[in-house]
Amino acid sequence: MKSLGRVIRSVQAFGRELSRKTNVADTQRMPAIGIALGGGFARGIAHIGVLKVLEEEGIPVRMVAGTSVGAIMGAAYCSGLTIAELEELAHKVRFTTFARWTLSRYGFASTDRMVAFLQKTLKVQTFEELRIPLGVTATDFNTGRGAVFTSGPIIDPVRASCAYPGMFLPVEIGGSFLVDGMLSYPVPTRPLRKMGAERVLGVHLKGQWSKSNAPRHFFDVIGQSFAIAQDMMSETWRSAADVVIEPDVAGFDYDDFKRAGELIQVGATAMRRALPEVRKWLEVPEEATAPRMAPALMAGPAPMPAD
């Protein structure tokens, strides 16, 4: 009986080890999926809906890149906030959570308050501590070149990524003055490719910032100018994406934080429409899966197959 027990335990152990190796192999065959979160101020709350659907469907996000509000959402998510925590946060934030009106020749608002907000919100403070790799984009004001941060402290790069020209003051990092990443990476698909993403999902928050032909104020002028620039640059970032989704945010103002629930739903709806295409990324060819191991299981304990 003892001998039979040892045989049974050996078979069980072999089965567990074989299953573990199979799961590891399947994970290795799965492409590294990255998601590029574009800018759009309050409209960026729609990113939560996109991430929520990906989690509900079990689609693994291996890396994230964010521009402007996409950098905030990406940093929060990659630091370990759950979808429920992100939703709760979205219902609480307002413009004054991040910004403080100021009198400066460089802009009308400072992002000083964003420092305290991010210190309180993020579960880690450096890129190296994140549970998911993150890239944060900004634009060098003097050279016009894009900058992508992937290491070191998180907070100042996020502030720089959100430094909307004309509205927020530039942020100085390492002697360079940086402004909003939307000028160089409206949707940061290319940085994701450089980070190693094999499949890229781009989230573009497209929409007119003014509901009428005439702008209502200074911020409408800047916002619409950015929307025009984004359209002109779309071929560049779209070419680096496998799938692009565009949540219907046209009916939302730049500061519509009070409509967080609607924005989350808009993001979720857009992501669900794209699911058939994204699911194709997870399909594993039949010849690469488990059936090749069936004969060994039928024959009883045998040497482990070579990897």
Side-chain angles (χ1 to χ4, degrees):
M1 292 294 292
K2 288 183 179 179
S3 250
L4 180 59
R6 283 196 296 270
V7 170
I8 292 173
R9 285 193 295 274
S10 295
V11 172
Q12 289 173 337
F14 172 73
R16 286 194 297 271
E17 181 65 12
L18 197 57
S19 176
R20 183 188 69 79
K21 283 183 171 287
T22 301
N23 290 337
V24 169
D26 286 346
T27 299
Q28 290 173 341
R29 281 193 294 269
M30 188 177 295
I33 297 174
I35 181 168
L37 305 176
F41 211 48
R43 295 168 173 179
I45 293 173
H47 291 318
I48 298 174
V50 174
L51 294 168
K52 182 177 183 178
V53 171
L54 289 171
E55 282 205 358
E56 289 174 348
E57 297 297 322
I59 297 171
V61 174
R62 295 273 298 279
M63 58 197 73
V64 177
T67 289
S68 200
V69 67
I72 296 177
M73 293 298 175
Y77 184 68
C78 292
S79 78
L81 266 71
T82 65
I83 296 299
E85 288 173 324
L86 284 172
E87 289 183 299
E88 182 180 358
L89 191 67
H91 283 91
K92 292 179 179 178
V93 298
R94 294 293 184 268
F95 176 81
T96 52
T97 304
F98 311 105
R100 175 176 54 84
W101 295 114
T102 187
L103 186 60
S104 169
R105 57 183 175 176
Y106 298 127
F108 289 102
S110 164
T111 55
D112 292 347
R113 288 179 178 173
M114 191 179 293
V115 175
F117 168 76
L118 291 174
Q119 286 175 338
K120 179 181 177 181
T121 300
L122 301 183
K123 296 192 175 183
V124 300
Q125 300 297 309
T126 67
F127 284 90
E128 288 79 5
E129 297 173 282
L130 295 169
R131 68 182 182 95
I132 299 173
L134 171 71
V136 170
T137 69
T139 305
D140 188 310
F141 179 77
N142 292 317
T143 67
R145 295 174 182 168
V148 182
F149 294 88
T150 58
S151 63
I154 299 171
I155 291 176
D156 277 349
V158 172
R159 287 179 61 221
S161 189
C162 296
Y164 203 75
M167 180 182 290
F168 295 117
L169 309 185
V171 175
E172 183 180 0
I173 300 178
S176 296
F177 286 93
L178 300 166
V179 293
D180 203 308
M182 288 175 67
L183 285 170
S184 48
Y185 301 108
V187 182
T189 54
R190 288 183 294 153
L192 269 182
R193 291 290 183 188
K194 292 182 179 179
M195 289 169 64
E198 296 170 308
R199 293 289 183 271
V200 171
L201 172 66
V203 187
H204 181 213
L205 302 176
K206 180 179 174 63
Q208 300 296 312
W209 283 60
S210 176
K211 294 179 180 178
S212 63
N213 291 327
R216 299 167 299 167
H217 43 58
F218 173 71
F219 298 124
D220 268 354
V221 174
I222 298 178
Q224 184 62 14
S225 297
F226 263 88
I228 293 169
Q230 279 184 300
D231 285 342
M232 296 295 288
M233 297 171 63
S234 67
E235 185 176 343
T236 301
W237 62 260
R238 284 179 188 273
S239 65
D242 294 288
V243 170
V244 174
I245 66 172
E246 296 184 316
D248 185 10
V249 295
F252 296 87
D253 290 331
Y254 77 96
D255 57 351
D256 256 345
F257 293 100
K258 62 184 179 297
R259 299 175 68 186
E262 296 173 68
L263 282 162
I264 292 170
Q265 185 55 51
V266 161
T269 298
M271 187 63 245
R272 290 203 176 279
R273 284 198 299 265
L275 278 176
E277 284 299 313
V278 174
R279 282 200 187 102
K280 291 178 183 178
W281 300 345
L282 308 183
E283 294 174 359
V284 179
E286 289 185 7
E287 61 272 15
T289 55
R292 62 188 176 88
M293 295 178 285
L297 290 173
M298 291 172 62
M304 281 289 182
D307 289 336

